[in-house]
Amino acid sequence: MGLFDQILGAVNTSAQVGGVNDFLSVVTNSTQGGGLDNLLNIANILKQLSNNVGADSSTMQSILSVVGKEVQSSLQVKQATDGTESVQDLVNQFAGTSANSEAVNTLFSPDIQAKVTENAAQVAGLDVETIQQLLPSLVPLVLTFLKSSGSPFLNKFVDIDTGGDVDIADLLKLASQFFRI
């Protein structure tokens, strides 16, 4: 199942009718934590972070992809041990557009943080220190995207049996292109 199919399946929980309008209705619904406003804000913050570290958008997407996959893994473990409600609580607590080291420390053990920074540095061609500086900004942004997208998408994101990867970087790239950010 491809990324777009997973998004539509998550957004359209009845799985009867799918389409871009279903996805857009969720991200534009103001009751979903800001929806469109949050999506636009996330994309703009990513552009600022990219400029701050001298990275192009594809480099940031690579970093975000590594970080997003590790967030997914951490949320899956949290769901397996503490349940779905605890995952939603964690997302609600740490979603935001400001750097938050506590979000990183809550989701990632020191060993996982080292793994993420090394993997992202290798993929992006940046030094580990730069990635370490970005993590406290990127993790809350990923969580903000999940919160803005709503519970069906969050549930799909942490569902271990999805059979495919949901890549946050791809989603934000798609949204950025759609909204011409």
Side-chain angles (χ1 to χ4, degrees):
M1 179 182 294
L3 169 66
F4 192 67
D5 294 331
Q6 289 185 7
I7 295 167
L8 294 178
V11 171
N12 186 15
T13 55
S14 68
Q16 298 293 323
V17 179
V20 173
N21 289 335
D22 293 331
F23 177 65
L24 292 176
S25 70
V26 169
V27 297
T28 58
N29 183 346
S30 62
T31 65
Q32 300 274 352
L36 179 58
D37 290 340
N38 276 343
L39 197 58
L40 295 171
N41 198 19
I42 291 167
N44 286 325
I45 290 169
L46 286 172
K47 284 173 85 172
Q48 290 173 357
L49 290 172
S50 177
N51 291 338
N52 291 346
V53 299
D56 62 20
S57 63
S58 66
T59 299
M60 285 302 290
Q61 289 169 8
S62 296
I63 296 167
L64 193 60
S65 182
V66 171
V67 171
K69 286 178 183 175
E70 200 56 52
V71 167
Q72 181 181 33
S73 178
S74 293
L75 292 177
Q76 288 171 336
V77 169
K78 179 88 172 151
Q79 181 181 21
T81 58
D82 299 331
T84 302
E85 188 174 312
S86 67
V87 171
Q88 186 67 57
D89 290 344
L90 190 140
V91 169
N92 290 339
Q93 179 181 357
F94 293 113
T97 56
S98 299
N100 187 339
S101 296
E102 187 180 352
V104 176
N105 294 331
T106 299
L107 278 172
F108 304 149
S109 69
D111 290 340
I112 298 296
Q113 288 181 40
K115 176 184 145 191
V116 170
T117 55
E118 289 171 17
N119 289 346
Q122 185 177 25
V123 167
L126 295 174
D127 59 86
V128 171
E129 292 79 25
T130 300
I131 304 298
Q132 287 172 333
Q133 292 172 359
L134 288 171
L135 271 183
S137 296
L138 294 178
V139 169
L141 287 177
V142 169
L143 297 175
T144 298
F145 179 79
L146 293 172
K147 184 177 179 179
S148 298
S149 298
S151 293
F153 183 76
L154 175 60
N155 292 338
K156 190 68 160 181
F157 187 73
V158 297
D159 184 3
I160 295 172
D161 299 325
T162 59
D165 291 333
V166 177
D167 192 326
I168 293 293
D170 289 343
L171 291 172
L172 287 172
K173 181 179 178 184
L174 175 67
S176 294
Q177 289 172 346
F178 182 80
F179 296 114
R180 300 180 194 264
I181 299 171

